Amino acid sequence: MVKYDLPRFRAFKREGRALRRGRYSSEENRRLVQNVKDFLALTGIDSGTKLFFPSRFPEEKSHIVKMKNQYKFHSRMAAGICRPWHDIYTRGRKIFDEYNYKGRFTEEDDNKLRKLQKLHGNNWMKISELTGRSNHSLELRFSQLAANKGAWTEEELASLTRAVRCYMQQLAEPVGDSLTIRRERLYSKLPWTEVASQVQTRNWSQCRIKWMAILKQKMTAGAQVYRGRKSLEAKIRLIKALHAMNVEDAAEVNWEDLTQAIGDVPPNYVQSKFYKLKVTQVPLWQTMSFGDVIDFLNEKVVPQLEQRLQACRGHSRDEEEEEEGVSTQQETFLFSDIFGDESEMNPETGTVKRRLAVA
């Protein structure tokens, strides 16, 4: 970081530019590709793949490494992109990995992958050399093959909750006699690979999706925040909030800010509701830009939703105005509200012991 990022970060700060995280925008991808093309033109190297995977070209490796050092590849590659250098390099490895575009895995491919994983363990770089596929796609495919399908069992849910709880305990803050946890820490930057390794029967993506569903129930205390009339109101607020942002790329959307359109829910929940809106309400959305999709929703769909909302209203105007507002979001939650009281945890399963009803 000191060598590559510190001077860049200082320059960004002087320019008033904030560091970006998460999904890459189309402009960032375009800039990265152009930076690499400019470096290729400068050095005479004929492939971006050679810059990111010089070990695949043993006869040219020494020359490639020499050119990268001489012309400061890392600095030129990251020019103008407001992210940490290593993050940009990782993105470049995905874009310029020719092994990434081999199509779907066949049954024969899956069987070969299982055999190679037994032989080489999780050495995905080695397996990549033997299969001609990227290590990223191989690791993802193997996790999918190794994972269970269908409904989660109580044991799996207990393992998931226990794994997340163990991580969250490091982030909890004492307030009086209780522990609290900040809302963003409940869903941001969790070590999903480690969580999945503790659950064992599910891959990291399944664990993440399931935890977000559990978390939505915990944060709302089981309340229905997106059903019936509330659903219509939330859709209208969500579309209007997106339109007010006036952005042209989904990567520029701050989904955390948009949670207020629905209530105390994680950003992932809002994203899933927007995706469903887009798919069900916007014809040919695949051919439209993000901005055009939002404009369509705002101009064509919002009036329809407002008509439906007006038709189903049966309360007085005062009641309507009161119910239309979104409740203030909690900045912190009691640790026990999310994970249960530790004194009531079953030490063998990690689940909260059920209380017996008193007659």
Side-chain angles (χ1 to χ4, degrees):
M1 173 179 171
V2 173
K3 184 176 181 181
Y4 297 118
D5 280 340
L6 196 56
R8 298 175 57 246
F9 289 175
R10 286 173 175 167
F12 291 144
K13 186 175 182 180
R14 288 194 299 269
E15 297 168 6
R17 299 173 63 188
L19 289 179
R20 290 178 56 87
R21 299 283 183 180
R23 180 180 176 184
Y24 273 66
S25 68
S26 57
E27 174 57 27
E28 287 176 311
N29 287 327
R30 186 202 64 77
R31 182 61 185 267
L32 173 55
V33 171
Q34 187 59 52
N35 287 348
V36 172
K37 287 182 177 179
D38 291 344
F39 191 84
L40 294 175
L42 177 66
T43 60
I45 297 172
D46 60 5
S47 166
T49 303
K50 293 181 179 180
L51 296 175
F52 290 96
F53 302 94
S55 296
R56 295 180 186 174
F57 308 90
E59 295 181 357
E60 302 177 64
K61 181 178 177 181
S62 60
H63 174 69
I64 295 169
V65 172
K66 179 182 178 180
M67 291 294 98
K68 288 174 67 175
N69 291 334
Q70 181 176 340
Y71 292 100
K72 299 180 180 178
F73 171 64
H74 299 92
S75 297
R76 292 177 182 272
M77 171 203 67
I81 305 174
C82 207
R83 291 177 183 261
W85 161 82
H86 191 269
D87 184 32
I88 301 169
Y89 185 76
T90 300
R91 180 62 177 169
R93 283 176 64 89
K94 290 183 180 179
I95 292 176
F96 289 94
D97 189 351
E98 294 176 349
Y99 290 175
N100 259 339
Y101 310 101
K102 297 293 184 178
R104 292 180 177 273
F105 281 75
T106 64
E107 185 176 351
E108 182 181 352
D109 291 332
D110 289 341
N111 291 334
K112 184 177 181 179
L113 174 57
R114 290 188 183 97
K115 291 178 182 178
L116 289 173
Q117 197 278 335
K118 285 182 179 179
L119 184 62
H120 300 286
N122 292 336
N123 186 347
W124 302 114
M125 291 296 292
K126 178 64 176 179
I127 298 174
S128 173
E129 294 173 4
L130 296 172
T131 59
R133 288 182 178 269
S134 73
N135 57 315
H136 174 76
S137 64
L138 289 165
E139 184 176 3
L140 177 60
R141 182 59 178 173
F142 184 76
S143 70
Q144 293 171 342
L145 293 173
N148 276 350
K149 303 293 191 297
W152 284 61
T153 65
E154 288 189 13
E155 290 76 13
E156 288 178 314
L157 290 172
S159 296
L160 173 62
T161 303
R162 184 167 57 248
V164 176
R165 179 192 177 98
C166 182
Y167 173 74
M168 291 293 178
Q169 281 180 322
Q170 308 170 49
L171 307 176
E173 301 172 358
V175 175
D177 295 331
S178 303
L179 285 177
T180 62
I181 186 81
R182 296 179 188 176
R183 64 176 293 119
E184 68 275 8
R185 287 180 171 175
L186 289 168
Y187 45 73
S188 298
K189 300 179 181 179
L190 273 71
W192 290 115
T193 301
E194 296 178 21
V195 170
S197 68
Q198 294 184 52
V199 175
Q200 295 185 341
T201 55
R202 302 280 178 165
N203 65 40
W204 69 267
S205 180
Q206 290 173 305
C207 289
R208 178 178 178 274
I209 292 171
K210 191 62 179 180
W211 173 246
M212 293 303 172
I214 293 172
L215 189 57
K216 181 260 177 181
Q217 290 296 107
K218 295 288 187 179
M219 292 175 70
T220 61
Q224 297 291 345
V225 297
Y226 202 85
R227 181 168 294 182
R229 176 178 167 180
K230 288 184 178 179
S231 172
L232 294 172
E233 293 172 341
K235 289 174 183 176
I236 294 169
R237 286 193 296 265
L238 177 57
I239 294 170
K240 288 184 175 181
L242 280 164
H243 189 260
M245 286 183 171
N246 194 30
V247 298
E248 291 296 326
D249 197 301
E252 299 174 14
V253 176
N254 187 330
W255 296 100
E256 176 71 47
D257 290 346
L258 289 171
T259 58
Q260 297 184 33
I262 295 178
D264 255 328
V265 294
N268 169 271
Y269 183 79
V270 182
Q271 286 179 276
S272 68
K273 295 306 176 186
F274 167 71
Y275 181 79
K276 188 173 182 180
L277 258 177
K278 175 178 67 175
V279 171
T280 59
Q281 300 294 331
V282 184
L284 302 177
W285 61 270
Q286 300 96 326
T287 65
M288 301 168 66
S289 69
F290 181 78
D292 288 340
V293 169
I294 301 302
D295 287 342
F296 184 92
L297 288 169
N298 188 64
E299 296 169 10
K300 304 295 185 181
V301 178
V302 166
Q304 298 175 13
L305 294 173
E306 289 176 335
Q307 288 180 0
R308 289 171 56 191
L309 179 61
Q310 190 63 37
C312 74
R313 279 175 172 160
H315 304 289
S316 69
R317 185 169 182 80
D318 290 339
E319 289 176 328
E320 290 171 5
E321 291 177 352
E322 181 179 348
E323 290 185 10
E324 284 177 359
V326 182
S327 59
T328 303
Q329 292 183 323
Q330 291 182 231
E331 292 302 316
T332 60
F333 291 82
L334 286 175
F335 199 81
S336 58
D337 285 347
I338 303 298
F339 296 99
D341 189 340
E342 189 172 14
S343 65
E344 298 177 344
M345 294 293 288
N346 185 320
E348 294 184 0
T349 66
T351 55
V352 178
K353 298 176 182 177
R354 295 177 180 173
R355 295 172 178 167
L356 295 177
V358 178

